Amino acid sequence: MKLSILFAALLSSLVSAQLSGTVGPSTTTAHKAATKVCNILSYGGVASKTTDNGPAIASAWAACASGGEVYIPAGDYGLSTFVTLTGGTAVSINLDGVIYRTGSTASGNMIFIEHTTDFEFYSSTSAGAIQGYGYTFHAAGTYGPRILRLYEVVNFSVHDIALVDSPAFHFTMDTCSNGEVYNMIIRGGNEGGLDGIDIWGTNIWVHDVEVTNKDECVTVKSPASYMLIESIYCNWSGGSAIGSLGADTDIHHITYNHVYTQNSNQMMLIKSNGGSGSVYSCQFNNFMGHSNAYTLDIDGYWSSETTAAGNGVLFHDLSFSHWHGTCANGGTRAPIQALCPSGAPCYNIDIEAFYIWTEAGSEVLYKCENAYGAGGCVKTATASSYTAWAITTKTVTSVPVASYSATTMAADLTAGFALTASIAIPTVPSSFYPGLAPLSAKLG
Ligand SMILES: *[C@@H]1O[C@H](CO)[C@@H](O)[C@H](O)[C@H]1NC(C)=O
Ligand SMILES: *[C@@H]1O[C@H](CO)[C@@H](O)[C@H](O)[C@H]1NC(C)=O
């Protein structure tokens, strides 16, 4: 075994503690490009913001889908016809240019990739971007297409690309597996319904991603297992979440680590209302941030969700460790909420090294209900049966013993992006958590 391969194997076994196997494409982009390159300019594409490059992208994909690289060179490309790229094997898309939405179809996905294996979507210069011009919908109070959706994609990566101002969700991975997503920046308008990354499936590593919007930052939905989500920067967002959860929830072995969140609705929200099934064996470590409304929030009665049939989703074996920083007003919005369903009291909820103080006032509240475990206001279980109990509020009036102060990121956003004006395309940043470099170097 070559030393570099040995190191790569060692590295992947280290990072994969929470994953269930190898992630990423099976063959390199160099190997794919050596097989065949399908430059969209050779398939009818024109580097013009006003030309519809949808048919050219679809033709280039068809020509390279069984092995090769679809190449979108540096330049501006209009996209009026949204594309569904299906059935690829050993195929990559190198987006060095910028795609601009010109089509006005108010639904679907600008780019939809499905039933594909050994796939890589990236920018070799880290300058590739997709501009959704969502503001043209949002200014009128409506939503349009999503930017990017992957469905049943296996052994893949998406990296070094900016997704900007989606008319709806930015990036959804539905029933995908063995994926890696990294070195990405997502900038959306300041309202709900413009999710950053939503994922369900198995064995996916998301790292080094920055999201600005006012809804999901990086959120896991059901069913999901073996996901590692780390070095996430929610730079004025809704915050990250698991949910919304309803009937037959099946989520386990999810790890969030090194999540920096500022001016968001929460640092982490696990949300359900009624429903059934469970969320278990998950860890939430090294969260840092400031100026968020909620912080650690398990809400089994989430009021924004219609009550689903069932006794409630069961949460168990969830641990939260090393949370630092401040919340906006801990006396009105408790930085610890563990509100579990009475029909399914949660257990082994362990909260330790939780150092969150308040920016306004001089106390913080912890609110718990039907919750067993340790730390915060959860009850220590004395029996093997977990019975329901009513909500209790604990008031904390002194600054946590250890330092609660969090390092802030340089130039944290101080306002959300407007809904009525175009959002500029940002560059992919070179840090996503205070003091940490990206786990993989940026390509550009
Ligand atoms: C995905 O990659 C794994 C590990 O390299 C491999 O065993 C598996 O066959 C691949 N799956 C597909 C559908 O190509
Ligand atoms: C957060 O967003 C602001 C506004 O775009 C930007 O200036 C800043 O660089 C971002 N922070 C980081 C660390 O990328």
Side-chain angles (χ1 to χ4, degrees), residues 22 26 117 154-155 178:
T22 315
S26 319
T117 60
V154 178
N155 297 352
N178 311 343

Tab-separated table of all heavy atoms in Angstrom, residues 22 26 117 154-155 178, ligand 1:
chain	number	residue	atom	x	y	z
A	22	THR	N	-16.913	4.471	4.241
A	22	THR	CA	-16.268	5.476	3.399
A	22	THR	C	-17.312	6.427	2.821
A	22	THR	O	-18.414	6.015	2.494
A	22	THR	CB	-15.580	4.744	2.215
A	22	THR	OG1	-14.901	3.628	2.748
A	22	THR	CG2	-14.608	5.629	1.482
A	26	SER	N	-16.110	7.320	-5.650
A	26	SER	CA	-15.188	6.177	-5.680
A	26	SER	C	-13.992	6.460	-6.563
A	26	SER	O	-12.924	5.885	-6.362
A	26	SER	CB	-15.913	4.933	-6.207
A	26	SER	OG	-17.205	4.861	-5.663
A	117	THR	N	-24.382	7.353	-9.054
A	117	THR	CA	-23.344	6.858	-8.138
A	117	THR	C	-21.975	7.356	-8.584
A	117	THR	O	-21.776	7.661	-9.753
A	117	THR	CB	-23.286	5.311	-8.105
A	117	THR	OG1	-22.987	4.858	-9.426
A	117	THR	CG2	-24.588	4.695	-7.658
A	154	VAL	N	-25.459	8.092	-4.487
A	154	VAL	CA	-24.617	7.244	-3.634
A	154	VAL	C	-23.144	7.496	-3.964
A	154	VAL	O	-22.800	7.635	-5.140
A	154	VAL	CB	-24.947	5.745	-3.889
A	154	VAL	CG1	-24.067	4.827	-3.052
A	154	VAL	CG2	-26.421	5.473	-3.621
A	155	ASN	N	-22.297	7.540	-2.947
A	155	ASN	CA	-20.852	7.746	-3.152
A	155	ASN	C	-20.606	9.052	-3.899
A	155	ASN	O	-20.287	9.064	-5.089
A	155	ASN	CB	-20.221	6.569	-3.931
A	155	ASN	CG	-20.305	5.259	-3.170
A	155	ASN	OD1	-20.698	5.228	-2.001
A	155	ASN	ND2	-19.927	4.169	-3.827
A	178	ASN	N	-23.396	7.779	1.681
A	178	ASN	CA	-21.938	7.815	1.477
A	178	ASN	C	-21.501	9.129	0.823
A	178	ASN	O	-20.767	9.124	-0.166
A	178	ASN	CB	-21.455	6.633	0.629
A	178	ASN	CG	-21.986	5.296	1.116
A	178	ASN	OD1	-22.452	5.184	2.248
A	178	ASN	ND2	-21.921	4.293	0.276
B	1	LIG	C1	-20.009	2.879	-2.977
B	1	LIG	O1	-18.706	2.807	-2.457
B	1	LIG	C2	-18.508	1.667	-1.638
B	1	LIG	C3	-17.168	1.812	-0.952
B	1	LIG	O2	-16.166	2.220	-1.852
B	1	LIG	C4	-18.615	0.429	-2.515
B	1	LIG	O3	-18.400	-0.724	-1.754
B	1	LIG	C5	-20.005	0.408	-3.116
B	1	LIG	O4	-20.107	-0.672	-4.024
B	1	LIG	C6	-20.309	1.710	-3.864
B	1	LIG	N1	-21.714	1.706	-4.210
B	1	LIG	C7	-22.162	1.864	-5.456
B	1	LIG	C8	-23.630	1.831	-5.626
B	1	LIG	O5	-21.407	2.053	-6.406
